[in-house]
Amino acid sequence: MKIAIINGPNLNLLGKREPEIYGSQTFEEYFEALKKVFPDTDLVYFQSNSEGELVSKIQAFGFELDGIVLNAGAYTHTSVAMRDAIAAVPAPVVEVHISNVHARESFRHHSYLSAVCVGGIFGLGLKGYELAIRYLTVI
Ligand code: DQA
């Protein structure tokens, strides 16, 4: 089984970015630990700050792999192009947000992506990625 984690804009700054909201661990550190939690799953990680690159990766992974865990960052709240890419591919996509977007500014309450994802996790910190992978490994 092969699963991709895709992180969107500003998530390359995890560990440094607003640690009171997003924690103090870098995603690279977390990803190393995550691979040990799922020794039988081939995990790949991609991050980009660019919407077009994210669309291209959803297209590529979405026809190749068994599932995608996607934190689209701020593009969650703006991107029809990412929504269309998710809808276009056969792989199930789980939407993840580290913070509780519904407890934050109202512009974070709407997701263009949720309706075309199989489900979503928000507000559970980095643990949300692990839970999403666990789901994808049992469906
Ligand atoms: C986020 C929430 C988004 O609103 C924000 O733009 C992010 C991170 C999260 O993981 O909590 O960049 O997706």
Side-chain angles (χ1 to χ4, degrees):
M1 161 147 305
K2 193 162 177 178
I3 293 172
I5 298 175
I6 300 179
N7 272 342
N10 300 306
L11 292 164
N12 55 311
L13 295 180
L14 285 177
K16 290 191 266 200
R17 172 194 186 195
E18 297 175 279
E20 65 288 358
I21 298 175
Y22 299 110
S24 50
Q25 197 172 19
T26 68
F27 200 82
E28 288 69 22
E29 282 163 9
Y30 177 69
F31 187 60
E32 287 311 304
L34 203 51
K35 285 192 279 192
K36 296 195 178 91
V37 178
F38 297 99
D40 302 325
T41 304
D42 193 357
L43 294 177
V44 294
Y45 175 54
F46 177 77
Q47 189 278 330
S48 176
N49 294 324
S50 148
E51 186 175 11
E53 281 181 14
L54 292 163
V55 167
S56 296
K57 276 295 175 190
I58 292 168
Q59 290 180 4
F61 287 148
F63 282 103
E64 255 175 44
L65 308 190
D66 302 297
I68 297 173
V69 176
L70 173 65
N71 184 347
Y75 290 139
T76 304
H77 317 299
T78 63
S79 181
V80 176
M82 288 188 73
R83 178 197 179 104
D84 287 350
I86 296 165
V89 299
V93 177
V94 179
E95 179 178 355
V96 168
H97 298 287
I98 296 164
S99 65
N100 181 351
V101 283
H102 295 288
R104 301 180 63 193
E105 302 95 327
S106 58
F107 64 83
R108 297 185 203 277
H109 297 180
H110 178 257
S111 166
Y112 277 95
L113 314 182
S114 299
V116 288
C117 289
V118 287
I121 297 170
F122 57 87
L124 304 185
L126 290 174
K127 193 81 180 168
Y129 292 91
E130 178 185 334
L131 296 171
I133 294 165
R134 201 168 290 289
Y135 170 76
L136 289 169
T137 59
V138 297
I139 56 169

